[in-house]
Amino acid sequence: MDFRTACEEVQVLRNAGEEVTLTVSFLKRAPAFLKLPLNEDCACAPSDQSSGTSSPLCDSGLHLNYHPNNTDTLSCSSWPTSPGLRWEKRWCDLRLIPLLHSRLSQYVPGTDLSRQNAFQVIAVDGVCSGIIQCLSAEESVDWLQAIAMNISNLTKHNIKKINRNFPVNQQIVYMGWCEAREQDPLQDRVYSPTFLALRGSCLYKFPAPPVTTWDWTRAEKTFSVYEIMCKILKDSDLLDRRKHCFTVQSESGEDLYFSVELECDLAQWERAFQTATFLEVERIQCKTYACVLESHLMGLTIDFSTGFICFDAATKVMCSDGL
């Protein structure tokens, strides 16, 4: 029924008087969303597709398997009579969530309360899948691992493309979402989503994934990987009910507490941090810091080939040959 026909019928009803008699025709096997107008007298309808038990997630239109680009719903008059053609159902998208840079969450937002056998997927633009409830813990874990694996593969592929535009000493080793624990326990949201990246000599903390080169200059915090310490927490070290946590301690003594969703995410982070630290130490070889020894301004050189050297900052006289 097009718009013009609908308007004409409304006008007829308005002019019909006080009493109107309507005859209703019942369509017995109406597929989901009424996309495919089947009826009892249609002799050309394939017998294996005449069931009215279509899934609400399944496209009610029938499609020819030899034409993958044809997604238009076909009417009865267009059904082919060739016995060599086969019809098949196709899934239609109720909500499409790109997995690149998306994140998973098993927890009630901002808390350490885990949903039972449920999770949600949040796209990089904020579009959310809603809470996906699974029938069992095993099914929930299977879905989480499968989605996490796809996100990881997409991220690795994207990193390879981005690294083509960066010099060797500025290569990206890791990018991914985690939850940062707020240091103020009185806040309503104890945890907030944070995007971490290991690139070159630095660990970057972002509110969202960096897209442009300019985004890399606007990180919330930046740390030198050879001046921070990462610790994977044991169960006895956890501050709440969230599992799979780690801390990052900066050179200033600041402790940052992070949580990831799965054990494989934690293992991936640990490998990436070790790789980034090794690559940077191998690149710089030595580093000199200012320090004070017995009220004298000194210099401390850490040479990753020869060891430690301490010298007077004014005279450059070494205090010892090495430690």
Side-chain angles (χ1 to χ4, degrees):
M1 179 186 300
D2 58 22
F3 178 76
R4 180 179 299 177
T5 304
C7 292
E8 292 174 353
E9 293 182 355
V10 170
Q11 190 62 36
V12 170
L13 290 175
R14 287 178 177 175
N15 300 332
E18 297 182 356
E19 294 185 3
V20 178
T21 302
L22 296 177
T23 302
V24 180
S25 177
F26 175 63
L27 187 59
K28 185 176 180 180
R29 294 193 301 269
F33 312 128
L34 300 178
K35 286 186 178 180
L36 186 61
L38 300 179
N39 58 59
E40 290 289 334
D41 299 327
C42 184
C44 58
S47 59
D48 61 339
Q49 298 291 347
S50 59
S51 172
T53 59
S54 300
S55 166
L57 292 179
C58 187
D59 186 353
S60 58
L62 297 175
H63 305 276
L64 288 177
N65 60 351
Y66 71 89
H67 196 338
N69 295 325
N70 180 18
T71 57
D72 296 328
T73 300
L74 302 179
S75 64
C76 295
S77 60
S78 64
W79 285 334
T81 58
S82 173
L85 297 179
R86 181 171 59 86
W87 298 92
E88 61 183 17
K89 289 274 187 177
R90 288 186 183 175
W91 295 96
C92 64
D93 299 323
L94 295 184
R95 184 169 297 177
L96 183 63
I97 301 179
L99 291 182
L100 178 61
H101 292 328
S102 65
R103 58 187 176 90
L104 293 169
S105 178
Q106 306 174 72
Y107 296 92
V108 177
T111 73
D112 61 341
L113 299 177
S114 177
R115 296 188 176 97
Q116 186 175 5
N117 307 335
F119 63 92
Q120 58 183 346
V121 184
I122 303 97
V124 67
D125 59 358
V127 175
C128 181
S129 66
I131 300 174
I132 301 173
Q133 183 68 53
C134 299
L135 299 179
S136 65
E138 293 77 11
E139 184 179 350
S140 178
V141 170
D142 288 344
W143 272 109
L144 284 167
Q145 290 179 344
I147 296 174
M149 180 61 69
N150 275 274
I151 294 174
S152 176
N153 291 337
L154 288 169
T155 302
K156 291 177 182 178
H157 180 70
N158 192 47
I159 288 175
K160 287 182 179 179
K161 293 196 298 183
I162 297 175
N163 279 341
R164 297 172 187 169
N165 302 317
F166 290 142
V168 177
N169 63 340
Q170 291 294 320
Q171 295 286 288
I172 301 172
V173 177
Y174 173 89
M175 289 198 301
W177 285 101
C178 65
E179 296 271 341
R181 195 176 197 275
E182 301 295 338
Q183 297 184 2
D184 184 2
L186 300 179
Q187 295 213 6
D188 294 335
R189 294 179 63 91
V190 181
Y191 287 91
S192 58
T194 297
F195 195 83
L196 297 182
L198 290 168
R199 175 190 165 205
S201 63
C202 295
L203 165 64
Y204 297 85
K205 181 174 178 285
F206 296 99
V211 177
T212 65
T213 305
W214 174 247
D215 290 338
W216 288 95
T217 65
R218 297 187 294 174
E220 289 182 342
K221 292 185 178 180
T222 305
F223 307 95
S224 297
V225 292
Y226 53 84
E227 293 180 341
I228 59 177
M229 182 179 69
C230 176
K231 180 182 179 182
I232 305 300
L233 300 182
K234 301 178 181 178
D235 291 344
S236 58
D237 299 326
L238 299 176
L239 299 181
D240 49 44
R241 288 167 288 189
R242 283 202 180 220
K243 303 179 181 179
H244 317 311
C245 299
F246 64 93
T247 60
V248 173
Q249 185 178 45
S250 68
E251 70 278 5
S252 62
E254 180 184 10
D255 278 325
L256 302 177
Y257 190 100
F258 299 101
S259 167
V260 292
E261 293 293 324
L262 300 173
E263 186 176 359
C264 60
D265 297 333
L266 190 61
Q268 183 181 6
W269 159 259
E270 185 177 21
R271 289 194 302 268
F273 184 81
Q274 292 173 351
T275 299
T277 304
F278 171 79
L279 292 175
E280 186 59 20
V281 168
E282 189 179 53
R283 186 185 70 84
I284 63 175
Q285 288 299 311
C286 67
K287 185 73 175 179
T288 300
Y289 298 93
C291 60
V292 176
L293 177 63
E294 297 178 352
S295 301
H296 293 284
L297 184 61
M298 310 292 290
L300 176 65
T301 297
I302 304 175
D303 192 302
F304 298 105
S305 298
T306 61
F308 299 86
I309 301 174
C310 186
F311 58 90
D312 187 280
T315 63
K316 308 299 181 183
V317 176
M318 289 189 295
C319 298
S320 64
D321 293 334
L323 296 176

